[in-house]
């Protein structure tokens, strides 16, 4: 027989030792006596079957072999929230006496009077201050109901994580009694899915709730979360860390999450382009954590390098740590499309120095004010843009004369046109690809006969050697003076430059390729 004080029913959460579970069945089991409680354990290793005993199915479990049957008397009693708070925060005569004995023992061991033993005259003051509590935590206590909370006049933050709260009606009963309550932590609880009628009836009970933490609550589905969010019309801060969410669908936010400014989705599996785009439809979102979601690529809809996209219209802070992003340069270029992004946190690229990671981020994202929690100075921004200007000078030069390729380049490097507008063309950083030769192609002109020969000669050939070469090419003649009178014909200025120092080389006279030497 189940004791009435336990108030067990299907859906109730229990804890035995360190193991949490949900009641899935209450009743008899064939070929046994008395009542049994069928439990689905959070840890599948704790179970023995999937709800079927001796061929008869009594309930079903989500994970294989995560269920078992236990006797009701093995289930510890539950507490109200009031009882849990009193147990933790109120000093009684017994606890005071034990504390005093403990402190006196410590004093003896340390041979020093380091502690003040609180007297009974201070108990009343401690109890009266209970109504002034602002932050309360009863995490890991066996709470599964509210109790009378009317004495809590100042409570703003409540941590009931890893308790035995199992439905939203219990949560609503708590918040309705504490009108000052703005933040509640329900992490590590499994709450029964409410009906649409339940949600409508609970809306007024959460009208002051601003922050809600639902870490490890096995939510799993984004549409279900949006449906639940209709209960929290003024919610601003929501944590959904580690809820096995893998797909974000496009939803209507007309009646849910309309005022949500901060969303924590770390340690889920939200890594597709479509899911990230769907998050961009949240109308008031300013801060988003996507740490540890397995994101390999950041890609937003196309837009001109002078424009921004309409997704994430108010997003200022983005966390992307612990994601295997393959190409950070491309990711930074995509993030430049966000209209209001100011603060980015991301792991440095292990393939380059941290300084280069900073330069790439700051140089690529125009409005960035903080990177990995460090402020960005104007000098750092100018230096980073200059680094990017130099880094992509060669790729720019390779496509600058092709309109289509240049358009694609500016799409992949949105910052480049604005950097060029400030710093000009990066041509000075282009490598000199001209082949430097040590030879000159010269025209040798016999002024008397008009005969011309073309000859390749070393730049450093001296004039005496050149004379000997001319004599061999044109043959000996009595008309040739000895030594020859050589001149460089400068066609640009229509003048002749005498080459009269036979010990000097051609490069001394700045003779260039295709020049004419007259003799």
């Amino acid at each position: 027989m189940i004791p009435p004080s336990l108030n067990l029913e299907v859906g109730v959460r229990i804890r035995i030792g360190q193991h949490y579970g949900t009641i899935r069945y209450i009743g008899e089991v064939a070929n046994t006596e008395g009542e049994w409680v069928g439990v689905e354990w959070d840890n599948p290793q704790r179970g023995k079957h999937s709800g079927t005993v001796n061929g008869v199915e009594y309930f079903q479990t989500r994970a294989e072999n995560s269920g078992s049957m236990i006797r009701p008397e093995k289930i510890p009693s539950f507490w109200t929230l009031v009882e849990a708070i009193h147990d933790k925060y109120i000093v009684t005569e017994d606890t005071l006496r034990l504390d005093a004995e403990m402190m006196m023992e410590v004093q003896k061991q340390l041979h020093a009077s380091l502690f003040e033993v609180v007297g009974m005259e201070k108990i009343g003051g401690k109890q009266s201050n209970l109504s002034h509590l602002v932050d309360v935590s009863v995490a890991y206590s066996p709470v599964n109901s509210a109790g009378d909370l009317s004495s809590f006049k100042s409570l703003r933050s409540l941590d009931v994580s890893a308790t035995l709260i199992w439905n939203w009606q219990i949560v609503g009963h708590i918040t309705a009694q504490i009108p000052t309550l703005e933040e509640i932590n329900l992490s590590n609880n499994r709450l029964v899915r409410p009906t649409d009628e339940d949600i409508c009836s609970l809306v007024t009970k959460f009208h002051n709730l601003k922050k809600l933490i639902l870490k490890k609550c096995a939510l799993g589905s984004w549409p279900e979360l949006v449906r639940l969010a209709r209960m929290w019309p003024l919610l601003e801060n929501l944590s959904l860390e580690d809820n096995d969410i893998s797909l974000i669908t496009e939803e209507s936010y007309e009646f849910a999450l309309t005022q949500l400014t901060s969303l924590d989705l770390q340690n889920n599996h939200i890594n597709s382009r479509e899911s990230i785009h769907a998050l961009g439809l949240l109308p008031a979102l300013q801060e988003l954590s996507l740490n540890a979601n397995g994101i390999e690529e950041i890609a937003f809809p196309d837009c001109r390098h002078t424009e921004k996209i309409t997704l994430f219209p108010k997003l200022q802070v983005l966390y992307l740590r612990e994601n295997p992003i393959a190409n950070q340069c491309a990711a930074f270029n995509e993030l430049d499309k966000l209209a209001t992004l100011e603060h980015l946190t991301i792991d440095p690229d292990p393939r380059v120095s941290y300084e280069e990671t900073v330069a790439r981020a700051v140089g690529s994202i125009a409005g960035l004010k903080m990177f990995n929690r460090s402020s960005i100075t104007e000098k750092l921004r100018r230096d980073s843009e200059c680094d990017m200007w130099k880094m992509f000078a060669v790729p720019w030069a390779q496509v600058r004369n092709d309109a289509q390729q240049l358009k694609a380049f500016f799409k992949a490097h949105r910052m480049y046109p604005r950097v060029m507008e400030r710093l000009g063309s990066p041509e000075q950083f282009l490598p000199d690809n001209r082949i430097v030769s040590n030879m000159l192609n010269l025209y040798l002109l016999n002024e008397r006969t008009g005969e011309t020969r073309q000859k390749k000669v070393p730049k450093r050939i001296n004039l005496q050697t050149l004379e000997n070469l001319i004599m061999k090419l044109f043959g000996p003649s009595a008309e040739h003076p000895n030594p020859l009178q050589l001149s460089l014909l400068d066609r640009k200025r229509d003048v002749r430059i005498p080459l009269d120092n036979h010990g000097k080389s051609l490069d001394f006279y700045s003779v260039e390729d295709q020049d004419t030497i007259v003799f």
Side-chain angles (χ1 to χ4, degrees):
M1 190 72 179
I2 298 175
S5 59
L6 273 180
N7 193 26
L8 297 183
E9 59 181 296
V10 172
V12 165
R13 298 279 290 166
I14 65 171
R15 184 179 72 189
I16 297 179
Q18 299 302 314
H19 295 281
Y20 287 81
T22 303
I23 294 177
R24 299 300 185 197
Y25 171 78
I26 299 173
E28 296 180 350
V29 174
N31 301 319
T32 66
E33 295 183 357
E35 286 190 303
W36 292 86
V37 176
V39 180
E40 179 180 9
W41 300 102
D42 293 357
N43 180 4
Q45 296 180 352
R46 175 70 168 80
K48 297 180 179 179
H49 50 72
S50 300
T52 299
V53 179
N54 296 327
V56 180
E57 182 181 280
Y58 296 94
F59 61 96
Q60 294 180 344
T61 61
R62 284 172 288 188
E64 188 176 359
N65 293 327
S66 61
S68 64
M69 292 289 187
I70 63 174
R71 291 294 189 180
E73 55 267 23
K74 288 189 175 182
I75 300 174
S77 58
F78 303 121
W79 288 1
T80 66
L81 177 57
V82 173
E83 290 171 334
I85 296 174
H86 279 233
D87 180 72
K88 182 171 182 177
Y89 291 93
I90 290 186
V91 178
T92 66
E93 185 175 354
D94 290 338
T95 58
L96 184 65
R97 184 178 64 254
L98 291 173
D99 289 345
E101 291 173 356
M102 180 191 70
M103 287 187 283
M104 289 175 65
E105 184 62 29
V106 173
Q107 286 176 342
K108 290 178 182 179
Q109 292 180 8
L110 297 178
H111 305 289
S113 179
L114 298 178
F115 300 93
E116 176 190 3
V117 180
V118 179
M120 283 301 297
E121 69 277 3
K122 294 191 176 181
I123 294 179
K126 177 72 174 179
Q127 289 174 331
S128 65
N129 288 333
L130 196 61
S131 62
H132 299 299
L133 282 174
V134 175
D135 301 303
V136 163
S137 173
V138 291
Y140 297 94
S141 63
V143 171
N144 85 334
S145 60
D148 184 2
L149 299 166
S150 58
S151 61
F152 296 91
K153 307 294 185 183
S154 305
L155 196 60
R156 294 187 180 277
S157 174
L158 175 63
D159 183 353
V160 285
S161 57
T163 58
L164 302 178
I165 292 174
W166 63 281
N167 64 46
W168 286 101
Q169 286 82 355
I170 297 171
V171 184
H173 192 200
I174 293 171
T175 57
Q177 294 186 73
I178 311 174
T180 57
L181 190 62
E182 295 182 349
E183 175 183 341
I184 187 166
N185 186 346
L186 287 166
S187 299
N188 291 286
N189 287 301
R190 302 286 191 273
L191 280 72
V192 173
R193 180 181 179 181
T195 65
D196 288 343
E197 292 74 16
D198 292 334
I199 290 175
C200 291
S201 66
L202 287 168
V203 170
T204 58
K205 299 183 184 298
F206 295 104
H207 62 278
N208 288 323
L209 191 63
K210 301 291 181 63
K211 181 176 181 179
L212 180 59
I213 304 173
L214 295 172
K215 178 181 178 180
K216 292 186 177 180
C217 287
L219 295 174
S221 164
W222 182 253
E224 172 62 12
L225 184 280
V226 174
R227 191 180 74 92
L228 293 175
R230 289 156 48 194
M231 291 187 290
W232 322 311
L234 300 181
L235 193 68
E236 297 175 358
N237 189 310
L238 177 61
S239 175
L240 299 173
E241 180 182 350
D242 207 353
N243 270 286
D244 202 29
I245 300 172
S246 58
L247 179 64
I248 304 295
T249 52
E250 292 188 10
E251 304 290 334
S252 171
Y253 299 111
E254 184 179 359
F255 302 108
L257 305 178
T258 57
Q259 298 191 39
L260 188 70
T261 59
S262 179
L263 177 60
D264 184 353
L265 286 167
Q266 63 181 313
N267 288 308
N268 284 287
H269 313 288
I270 302 164
N271 48 47
S272 71
R273 182 182 303 189
E274 293 76 17
S275 289
I276 295 174
H277 291 185
L279 286 172
L281 300 177
L282 288 164
L285 192 63
Q286 298 177 17
E287 181 175 0
L288 173 63
S289 175
L290 288 173
N291 291 339
N293 268 273
I295 298 171
E296 297 181 355
E297 176 193 40
I298 300 292
F300 292 121
D302 286 341
C303 67
R304 298 181 61 186
H305 63 264
T306 55
E307 299 172 344
K308 302 289 185 179
I309 59 175
T310 57
L311 296 176
F312 297 105
K314 297 184 179 180
L315 187 67
Q316 298 177 10
V317 182
L318 179 61
Y319 300 94
L320 289 173
R321 299 289 301 271
E322 301 178 59
N323 284 298
I325 296 175
N327 187 335
Q328 278 198 352
C329 278
F332 295 151
N333 185 70
E334 292 297 306
L335 292 173
D336 182 59
K337 296 177 180 178
L338 301 182
T340 57
L341 185 63
E342 296 181 351
H343 184 179
L344 175 65
T345 300
I346 192 171
D347 292 327
D349 188 338
R351 294 165 294 188
V352 300
S353 67
Y354 182 73
E355 290 72 17
E356 185 168 339
T357 298
V358 174
R360 290 176 175 183
V362 177
S364 297
I365 305 173
L368 210 58
K369 295 181 179 179
M370 293 192 73
F371 182 72
N372 286 349
R373 302 186 185 278
S374 295
S375 297
I376 297 171
T377 63
E378 275 306 309
K379 181 180 184 305
L380 176 59
R381 185 178 304 283
R382 289 195 302 270
D383 291 347
S384 298
E385 289 180 346
C386 186
D387 289 344
M388 301 293 283
W389 180 56
K390 298 175 184 177
M391 184 185 303
F392 295 107
V394 172
W396 165 80
Q398 291 171 343
V399 302
R400 58 180 164 175
N401 295 321
D402 186 309
Q404 286 300 111
Q405 291 189 49
L406 186 61
K407 181 180 179 181
F409 175 82
F410 286 155
K411 176 183 175 181
H413 308 284
R414 291 169 51 87
M415 53 76 201
Y416 218 71
R418 65 173 178 263
V419 173
M420 286 183 61
E421 186 176 343
R422 182 170 70 85
L423 299 177
S425 170
E427 290 190 27
Q428 58 184 301
F429 300 106
L430 299 178
D432 189 351
N433 293 323
R434 294 175 299 177
I435 299 176
V436 179
S437 174
N438 292 321
M439 304 296 288
L440 294 173
N441 283 301
L442 298 180
Y443 292 96
L444 305 174
L445 172 61
N446 185 332
E447 191 172 22
R448 291 183 179 179
T449 65
E451 183 182 0
T452 301
R453 299 275 183 97
Q454 187 176 6
K455 184 64 178 175
K456 181 180 287 188
V457 299
K459 283 183 178 181
R460 291 188 171 275
I461 190 172
N462 61 36
L463 297 186
Q464 184 61 57
T465 305
L466 181 63
E467 283 188 18
N468 295 337
L469 179 63
I470 291 174
M471 297 291 288
K472 289 181 180 180
L473 287 173
F474 288 89
S477 173
E479 298 180 356
H480 292 162
N482 191 13
L484 294 178
Q485 296 176 356
L486 304 179
S487 300
L488 171 62
L489 183 60
D490 190 336
R491 298 184 185 280
K492 295 179 181 178
R493 295 181 293 175
D494 196 24
V495 297
R496 292 188 181 191
I497 301 173
L499 306 178
D500 49 12
N501 190 337
H502 288 199
K504 297 294 184 181
S505 61
L506 292 180
D507 59 354
F508 174 81
Y509 288 99
S510 300
V511 177
E512 297 179 354
D513 199 50
Q514 305 297 322
D515 276 349
T516 299
I517 302 295
V518 180
F519 65 92

Coordinates of all heavy atoms in Angstrom, one line a residue, residues 66 92 139 154 158 184 266 273 285 317 385 392 405 448 494:
S66 N 16.1 0.7 -19.5 CA 16.3 1.8 -18.5 C 15.2 1.8 -17.5 O 15.1 2.7 -16.7 CB 16.3 3.2 -19.2 OG 15.1 3.4 -19.9
T92 N 18.1 26.6 13.8 CA 17.3 26.1 14.9 C 18.2 25.9 16.1 O 19.4 26.0 16.1 CB 16.7 24.8 14.5 OG1 17.7 23.8 14.4 CG2 15.9 24.8 13.2
A139 N 19.2 23.4 -4.6 CA 19.6 22.4 -5.6 C 19.8 21.0 -5.0 O 20.4 21.0 -3.9 CB 20.8 22.8 -6.4
S154 N 11.1 39.3 -1.0 CA 12.1 39.9 -1.7 C 12.9 39.0 -2.7 O 13.8 39.4 -3.3 CB 13.2 40.5 -0.8 OG 12.5 41.4 0.1
L158 N 15.9 32.0 -7.8 CA 15.7 30.7 -7.2 C 16.3 29.6 -8.0 O 16.1 29.4 -9.2 CB 14.2 30.4 -7.1 CG 13.7 29.1 -6.5 CD1 14.2 28.9 -5.1 CD2 12.2 28.9 -6.6
I184 N 14.7 31.8 -12.4 CA 14.6 30.4 -11.9 C 15.4 29.4 -12.6 O 15.5 29.5 -13.9 CB 13.1 30.0 -11.8 CG1 12.9 28.7 -11.1 CG2 12.5 29.9 -13.2 CD1 11.5 28.4 -10.7
Q266 N 24.7 26.3 -26.0 CA 25.9 25.5 -26.1 C 25.7 24.0 -25.7 O 24.8 23.7 -25.1 CB 27.0 26.1 -25.2 CG 26.7 26.1 -23.7 CD 27.8 26.8 -22.9 OE1 28.9 26.5 -23.1 NE2 27.4 27.7 -22.0
R273 N 23.4 25.0 -41.7 CA 23.2 26.4 -42.2 C 21.7 26.8 -41.9 O 21.5 27.9 -41.5 CB 23.5 26.4 -43.7 CG 23.4 27.8 -44.3 CD 23.7 27.8 -45.8 NE 25.1 27.2 -46.0 CZ 25.6 27.3 -47.2 NH1 25.0 27.8 -48.3 NH2 26.8 26.8 -47.4
L285 N 16.9 39.2 -30.3 CA 18.1 38.5 -29.8 C 19.3 39.4 -29.9 O 19.7 39.9 -31.0 CB 18.3 37.2 -30.5 CG 19.3 36.3 -30.0 CD1 18.9 35.8 -28.6 CD2 19.6 35.1 -30.9
V317 N 26.4 40.1 -29.5 CA 27.4 39.2 -28.9 C 27.2 37.8 -29.4 O 26.1 37.2 -29.3 CB 27.3 39.2 -27.3 CG1 28.4 38.3 -26.7 CG2 27.4 40.6 -26.8
E385 N 43.5 45.9 -40.6 CA 43.1 46.1 -42.0 C 44.3 46.2 -42.9 O 44.2 45.7 -44.1 CB 42.2 47.4 -42.0 CG 40.9 47.2 -41.3 CD 40.0 48.5 -41.4 OE1 40.6 49.6 -41.7 OE2 38.8 48.4 -41.1
F392 N 46.0 40.0 -49.2 CA 45.2 39.6 -50.3 C 45.5 40.4 -51.6 O 44.7 40.5 -52.5 CB 43.7 39.7 -50.0 CG 43.3 38.7 -49.0 CD1 43.0 39.1 -47.7 CD2 43.2 37.3 -49.3 CE1 42.6 38.2 -46.7 CE2 42.8 36.4 -48.3 CZ 42.5 36.8 -47.0
Q405 N 35.3 38.0 -62.0 CA 36.2 37.4 -61.0 C 36.4 38.4 -59.9 O 36.5 38.0 -58.7 CB 37.5 37.0 -61.7 CG 37.4 35.8 -62.6 CD 38.8 35.4 -63.0 OE1 39.7 35.2 -62.2 NE2 39.0 35.2 -64.3
R448 N 79.1 54.7 -91.5 CA 79.6 55.0 -92.9 C 78.9 54.2 -93.9 O 78.6 54.7 -95.0 CB 81.1 54.8 -92.9 CG 81.9 55.9 -92.1 CD 83.4 55.7 -92.2 NE 84.1 56.7 -91.4 CZ 85.4 56.7 -91.4 NH1 86.2 55.9 -92.0 NH2 86.0 57.6 -90.6
D494 N 66.8 62.1 -79.1 CA 67.4 62.4 -80.4 C 68.8 62.9 -80.3 O 69.2 64.0 -80.9 CB 66.5 63.3 -81.3 CG 67.0 63.3 -82.7 OD1 67.6 62.3 -83.2 OD2 66.7 64.3 -83.4

